Amino acid sequence: MDKAPPHVLIFPFPAQGHINSMLRLANMLCLAGIQVTFLNTDHTHHRLLRSNPDLLAARPGIRFRTISDDLQPDHPRSTALVMDLYDSLRSVTKPLLRAMLAGSGRRAESDDAVTCIVADGILSFAIDVANEVGIPIVAFRTASACSFWAFFCGPALEAGGEFPFEDDADMDHPIKSIPGMEAFLRHRDLPSFFRVKQLNDRLLQAVLSETQNASKASGFILNTFEDLEGPILSHIRAHFPTTYAIGPLHAHLKYRLTESVDSLPNSSLWTEDRTCMTWLDSQPNKSVLYVSFGSFTVITRDELLEFWHGLVNSHTRFLWVIRPDLVDGRGDEGQIPSELREAADERGCFVGWAPQEDVLAHSAIGGFLTHSGWNSTLESVCAGVPMICWPFFVDQQINSRYVGEVWKVGLDMKDRCDRRTVEMMIKELMEGKREELVRSTARIANLAKRSVSQGGSSYMNFEKLAEDIRSMSQRFIRLM
Ligand code: UDP
């Protein structure tokens, strides 16, 4: 047997942003006639089905399988405990994956054989397993190219004496050891994992080694586009020659879908509250600030109050996503002063989880106060909505620098969270700097649109990826 129909196993890290972008890719591969199996942890799959009972019916060409992450069902799998999840995936899920793939190898004569794996770029144990069982693997890092490059240059930062930095270091000091970013990167813009005192910090070490390990895969996917991160992609390609920049994936998938966009599967881990769409319908054009900090960010009660004061004092209408687990130690509604609550009720709307893409596309939305997660950043840019960035962790610190200083599609509020600053930033975004920000956001939105349209760079890069996946199946030879 030296030939099998192309069949890709997609394995995301079990977190919202990773699942969203990898499910978008799964749909695109499916539309290209490639069979897809989407592998979720049991826990994530259960949550997905609970919030989207139609998930399995949404695209019949995608099959779902599950695998254990070996944590107790009530483990919070939260930001603070992310290392538990990571360790458990590496120690327990890895051998389960090996057994699953070895089983797939034995069925190579059937249509079921997995001929290629697309694994999350922070799950490099999947690369080791794939290489052991002889299945080609492509790594997909779901964050920005600029953050990946910063992590890749971690050893250079250390060699250049720019990391680790002292407690009293000037956070505005320029960073010179990351090629391509010398003109604008400061200490405070490095991915948050670099804000540690020791190079041997476990989280930092994990990300640095995942970054280096990506080179063991036969290809590398990024959810970005040449017109946005071209200079950084050139640096990356010097080390990862087969890099496919195929984003923004949400826009790319929409372009390729021939059916109505409503047929897209919803991949939220929380149940979407669509009542906010009706509320938006009754708001004036471009008058509402959308406030959301994504799926992982946790804020303190003090920060919640500062945002609340800033929003109310700005007199701007707002739609605020307050996830049940957003506030550290759970939000106590009683702590919000009644005058703030009343003012907020007058011109604000609160939901636990929003249909974000639809919200950003609504004509009432004029700005986005965001944590600068990569999906949120791309979704905002494509919708032509300028941002205020309040980054929380990982890639968000560097994303927000690019938003504010390089792409000029928003204002960077990192490391500040006081009511005066929040109010001032909102006024600048919605009034003072509105025109110039909207102009540059529209320019980048157009570039994004062009890149995913027929003949565009992301469109062509995806065609190449699909072709490479098909040719992998043609030379697929069962090794076991
Ligand atoms: N999202 C959503 N509703 C919300 C908040 C977020 O659908 O109320 C989606 C958002 O559209 C994005 C993802 O969740 O696709 C968050 O990913 P991102 O990379 O922005 O941040 P993360 O959650 O990974 O920090």
Side-chain angles (χ1 to χ4, degrees):
M1 179 84 183
D2 61 356
K3 205 168 172 186
H7 176 189
V8 178
L9 180 92
I10 298 193
F11 186 24
F13 183 81
Q16 185 71 74
H18 298 245
I19 293 168
N20 282 7
S21 38
M22 292 187 87
L23 199 52
R24 285 161 181 159
L25 173 65
N27 276 282
M28 282 164 54
L29 290 171
C30 187
L31 289 170
I34 293 171
Q35 188 186 333
V36 175
T37 297
F38 199 84
L39 184 61
N40 278 323
T41 59
D42 296 321
H43 181 264
T44 300
H45 197 63
H46 181 71
R47 279 189 68 189
L48 276 173
L49 285 182
R50 206 173 43 201
S51 43
N52 321 286
D54 298 337
L55 179 75
L56 302 185
R59 187 156 297 284
I62 300 179
R63 281 187 297 182
F64 287 89
R65 284 194 71 175
T66 64
I67 196 162
S68 172
D69 65 10
D70 202 44
L71 297 178
Q72 291 300 314
D74 59 351
H75 187 289
R77 294 159 172 84
S78 57
T79 313
L81 298 175
V82 77
M83 266 331 261
D84 287 0
L85 179 58
Y86 186 67
D87 288 342
S88 182
L89 288 167
R90 283 197 304 179
S91 59
V92 178
T93 311
K94 179 178 177 178
L96 295 176
L97 179 68
R98 187 186 293 116
M100 183 185 282
L101 292 172
S104 146
R106 273 194 292 283
R107 291 194 305 273
E109 305 75 18
S110 76
D111 287 352
D112 256 0
V114 169
T115 60
C116 171
I117 298 168
V118 175
D120 199 300
I122 60 165
L123 294 179
S124 69
F125 67 78
I127 304 180
D128 300 334
V129 170
N131 289 338
E132 274 171 46
V133 300
I135 301 177
I137 181 155
V138 178
F140 179 5
R141 190 76 167 237
T142 57
S144 54
C146 58
S147 68
F148 177 79
W149 182 237
F151 282 124
F152 188 83
C153 295
L157 277 172
E158 194 198 3
E162 297 192 292
F163 173 79
F165 35 92
E166 302 298 323
D167 276 345
D168 58 352
D170 173 8
M171 292 297 277
D172 292 320
H173 192 75
I175 291 285
K176 296 293 174 194
S177 312
I178 305 184
M181 302 185 187
E182 302 89 337
F184 53 84
L185 205 74
R186 306 160 301 173
H187 271 164
R188 73 171 73 252
D189 306 318
L190 286 170
S192 66
F193 293 168
F194 284 109
R195 293 186 181 198
V196 292
K197 296 197 178 56
Q198 308 285 338
L199 189 61
N200 64 5
D201 176 82
R202 281 197 68 216
L203 210 47
L204 175 66
Q205 277 310 318
V207 182
L208 292 182
S209 82
E210 291 296 335
T211 301
Q212 301 296 330
N213 285 344
S215 62
K216 294 193 273 176
S218 45
F220 187 52
I221 299 173
L222 283 165
N223 183 12
T224 189
F225 55 106
E226 310 286 342
D227 281 331
L228 188 71
E229 294 195 278
I232 293 304
L233 284 167
S234 302
H235 285 290
I236 291 174
R237 286 193 175 109
H239 303 268
F240 301 83
T242 314
T243 294
Y244 309 91
I246 57 172
L249 277 168
H250 71 291
H252 200 161
L253 172 59
K254 267 187 203 155
Y255 181 81
R256 285 176 182 263
L257 269 176
T258 44
E259 312 99 292
S260 134
V261 167
D262 286 345
S263 69
L264 278 177
N266 175 350
S267 52
S268 285
L269 293 169
W270 287 264
T271 305
E272 287 180 354
D273 182 346
R274 295 196 66 89
T275 55
C276 57
M277 299 305 292
T278 319
W279 181 82
L280 284 175
D281 287 344
S282 62
Q283 305 305 316
N285 207 25
K286 306 290 172 215
S287 67
V288 177
L289 180 74
Y290 172 55
V291 185
S292 170
F293 301 116
S295 63
F296 255 116
T297 305
V298 176
I299 65 175
T300 62
R301 207 179 297 270
D302 283 348
E303 287 166 340
L304 176 82
L305 272 177
E306 292 306 309
F307 277 122
W308 202 299
H309 275 283
L311 275 164
V312 167
N313 295 344
S314 74
H315 299 285
T316 300
R317 294 161 202 260
F318 61 89
L319 164 59
W320 192 353
V321 178
I322 302 199
R323 272 188 355 254
D325 55 350
L326 173 69
V327 184
D328 202 9
R330 302 195 74 80
D332 176 357
E333 302 264 310
Q335 293 228 347
I336 306 297
S338 60
E339 69 277 14
L340 280 185
R341 181 157 272 295
E342 278 161 29
D345 284 346
E346 252 172 46
R347 51 180 176 273
C349 174
F350 298 88
V351 288
W353 191 255
Q356 182 162 302
E357 271 191 73
D358 293 347
V359 164
L360 287 168
H362 197 287
S363 57
I365 295 293
F368 184 8
L369 169 52
T370 172
H371 70 309
S372 296
W374 188 234
N375 290 288
S376 296
T377 304
L378 290 175
E379 289 160 10
S380 197
V381 164
C382 288
V385 175
M387 290 162 267
I388 297 171
C389 304
W390 189 68
F392 175 62
F393 80 153
V394 207
D395 59 327
Q396 297 153 17
Q397 274 74 11
I398 191 162
N399 298 345
S400 63
R401 184 60 171 170
Y402 269 78
V403 165
E405 198 61 27
V406 181
W407 305 320
K408 303 200 186 295
V409 293
L411 308 171
D412 189 359
M413 198 182 89
K414 73 161 63 77
D415 298 331
R416 284 177 293 166
C417 182
D418 58 277
R419 58 195 72 181
R420 273 291 306 137
T421 304
V422 174
E423 179 190 342
M424 186 193 76
M425 287 277 175
I426 295 174
K427 285 181 172 159
E428 278 190 8
L429 184 83
M430 302 299 278
E431 298 160 25
K433 297 198 170 150
R434 170 140 209 92
E435 230 172 85
E436 56 185 286
L437 288 171
V438 166
R439 206 177 316 118
S440 44
T441 311
R443 189 183 73 81
I444 299 201
N446 273 332
L447 293 174
K449 200 167 165 192
R450 202 175 66 183
S451 79
V452 299
S453 305
Q454 190 143 22
S457 63
S458 291
Y459 188 97
M460 298 311 289
N461 288 342
F462 176 76
E463 294 291 308
K464 173 87 172 70
L465 171 67
E467 198 41 51
D468 289 350
I469 287 174
R470 286 188 204 102
S471 68
M472 283 170 193
S473 81
Q474 278 162 23
R475 14 170 241 274
F476 182 74
I477 299 170
R478 185 166 67 85
L479 295 181
M480 283 146 297

